[in-house]
Amino acid sequence: MKVLSIQSSVSYGHAGNSSAVFPLQRLGHEVWPVYTVHFSNHTGYGQWRGPVFSPDTVADVVLGIEERGVLPQCDAVLSGYMGDAEIGEVILDAVARVKAANPAAVYCADPVMGDVGRGFFVREGIPQFMRDRVVPVADILTPNQFELEYLTGGPIATVDDLLRAVDDVRERGPKTVLVTSVQTDETPADSVQMVLATDAGAWLVTTPLLPMYVSGAGDATAAIFLAHVLGQDPATALAETADSVFTIMATTHEAGSREIALIAAQDGIAHPSGQFEAVRLR
């Protein structure tokens, strides 16, 4: 695959493209990263340095890629955190340009907005932009449970609630939806789940919940899932994504690191161990 990934980047650590590009490359794919910011480190530290690129600058980089005549070769566009709606519009314009050049290309959007316990952590207007502008255009959507609740306007307490919410969002655009950080009333203790729904059905995978919080894991998850879902059956894609993400998190936890251990866990990205099974829900 050749993937146009439009996201933030950091020099130290892993977030945005600095989290998404390496897993895609380790899985054998070519990545064309376009940066929306280039910070010294992710903002979770409370202090950072570096530039925020203007929408015109980001659009200019995309135009330069287009001028190389390579957009017909682009298989997918990947996006994550959007600093503001203007950057979002540039990303959607890039998606339109890619699909005009290659109608078979897909758009994978990670609708980064917030999380359980933290609430929304994006600028005002971004949640509405994700709901009204991104969801209808996306082919693949990778929200966490909190984000799915916002997109569908209701709480999710059970697996049935979650499936109804997934069906709701799938009717509005993306046919493939991966829900991460799932914890319903039915989730086993000390566990976390992912649920995948496509036209072929729905599946659930359960992994241990580690006592930690790090930035960048969702960016890596979306990238790894994109790499798997376009070349494998959905259940295998889900199981291998969960396997690789758990390996990254376990390696990070063992190291006591504040940054996800992408490099140390790279063999687990390239060669999932098969330790988790995707269970069909329907």
Side-chain angles (χ1 to χ4, degrees), residues 24 50 91 116-117 122 133 167 193 209 243 257 259 265 271:
L24 283 164
I91 292 170
V116 173
V122 294
R133 299 282 286 116
D167 288 342
Q193 298 172 310
L209 177 64
D243 191 304
S257 174
E259 298 288 343
H271 308 290

Side-chain angles (χ1 to χ4, degrees), residues 144-150 152 154-166 179 182-185:
N144 61 33
Q145 184 172 325
F146 174 87
E147 291 158 349
L148 182 63
E149 287 179 335
Y150 168 75
T152 57
I156 295 171
T158 67
V159 172
D160 284 343
D161 289 342
L162 189 141
L163 289 176
R164 281 192 291 269
V166 167
V179 189
V182 172
Q183 288 187 301
T184 70
D185 294 345

Side-chain angles (χ1 to χ4, degrees), residues 4 6 34 57-67 90 94 97:
L4 176 64
I6 309 175
V34 176
T57 297
V58 177
D60 204 37
V61 174
V62 174
L63 178 60
I65 296 171
E66 183 178 30
E67 289 172 341
V90 171
R97 289 169 182 264

Side-chain angles (χ1 to χ4, degrees), residues 17-88:
N17 264 333
S18 304
S19 183
V21 171
F22 178 74
L24 283 164
Q25 291 173 329
R26 191 64 180 84
L27 286 162
H29 304 294
E30 190 72 35
V31 188
W32 306 335
V34 176
Y35 301 143
T36 56
V37 308
H38 188 59
F39 288 163
S40 55
N41 49 269
H42 69 68
T43 59
Y45 287 93
Q47 293 180 317
W48 64 92
R49 295 181 182 272
V52 176
F53 298 125
S54 71
D56 287 345
T57 297
V58 177
D60 204 37
V61 174
V62 174
L63 178 60
I65 296 171
E66 183 178 30
E67 289 172 341
R68 302 287 69 77
V70 295
L71 291 192
Q73 303 171 28
C74 185
D75 299 292
V77 179
L78 175 63
S79 72
Y81 172 81
M82 296 180 184
D84 57 41
E86 287 185 283
I87 288 291

